[in-house]
Amino acid sequence: MMLAPGKILVAHPKLQSGIFKQSVILLTEHHDSGSVGFILNKPCQVDLNKIMRERGIDWPSTDVLYQGGPLNTSALVIVHTDDFSSSNTMYLPGGFAVSSDEFMLEKIAMDNRPNAFRFLTGICSWAPNQLDFEIKTQKSWLTATPNDAMLFNSTGLKQWRRALNLVAAETTAQYF
């Protein structure tokens, strides 16, 4: 499958260590200067309500914060359905988007929310051709086209298994 924004990377079952073990990553950029994405299925121990209070925002929700990646861990972003926009929103194929600005937090706190979303801190980044090497040579990643249910309706190991099932279904559909 062609790598492109809006696709997911699913950690191969043989990938057995580190932050990427059993991870599902939404790819948001893939071009000659490298690739960027966000891990979607790893809740982190940081309390989102505490972060919001520190930013002076009254947060009325029990939303969970996820570990989006090992880099730039102070960045707060949301991956969401494309029925929401803020001052810094990047739209992806497949009906998804990523927003990363203070205004999005105020909007969501006032109940102006996307249909489905996930809060993330940190990002994943690959140098030029690194991701292609990890897929083709190291066989670390499988790829698929996500849907809303796979991205937003489960987390952790369950989400990774759903992503593996999606990879299997797409692979099978190529041959039958």
Side-chain angles (χ1 to χ4, degrees), residues 89-111:
T89 298
M90 175 176 49
Y91 293 94
L92 302 170
F96 308 110
V98 178
S99 295
S100 60
D101 57 76
E102 292 295 319
F103 188 51
M104 73 178 185
L105 302 175
E106 295 170 23
K107 289 174 78 168
I108 292 172
M110 293 185 294
D111 217 25

Side-chain angles (χ1 to χ4, degrees), residues 38 55 65-66 68 71-77 100 120-123:
F38 297 95
R55 292 173 182 238
L65 183 62
Y66 290 81
L71 306 173
N72 199 12
T73 55
S74 62
L76 187 63
V77 301
S100 60
L120 306 159
T121 181
I123 65 170

Side-chain angles (χ1 to χ4, degrees), residues 5 27-37 124-132:
L27 199 58
T28 58
E29 295 179 47
H30 182 71
H31 39 66
D32 292 342
S33 57
S35 304
V36 175
C124 300
S125 179
W126 293 265
N129 301 314
Q130 180 184 356
L131 190 52
D132 293 303

Side-chain angles (χ1 to χ4, degrees), residues 127-142:
N129 301 314
Q130 180 184 356
L131 190 52
D132 293 303
F133 176 78
E134 289 181 13
I135 291 170
K136 293 174 184 162
T137 305
Q138 294 180 326
K139 309 278 192 235
S140 297
W141 301 104
L142 304 166

Side-chain angles (χ1 to χ4, degrees), residues 50-64:
K50 181 178 181 223
I51 290 173
M52 296 305 174
R53 279 193 306 275
E54 288 171 358
R55 292 173 182 238
I57 298 172
D58 182 28
W59 200 253
S61 181
T62 58
D63 297 310
V64 174

Side-chain angles (χ1 to χ4, degrees), residues 8 21-22 32 38 45 48 59 66 76 78 101 107 118 124 132 138 148 152 156 162 172 176:
I8 55 169
K21 178 183 177 182
Q22 299 175 336
D32 292 342
F38 297 95
Q45 304 304 315
L48 186 61
W59 200 253
Y66 290 81
L76 187 63
I78 58 170
D101 57 76
K107 289 174 78 168
R118 190 155 285 182
C124 300
D132 293 303
Q138 294 180 326
D148 285 11
F152 301 112
R162 283 185 170 180
T172 302
F176 298 103

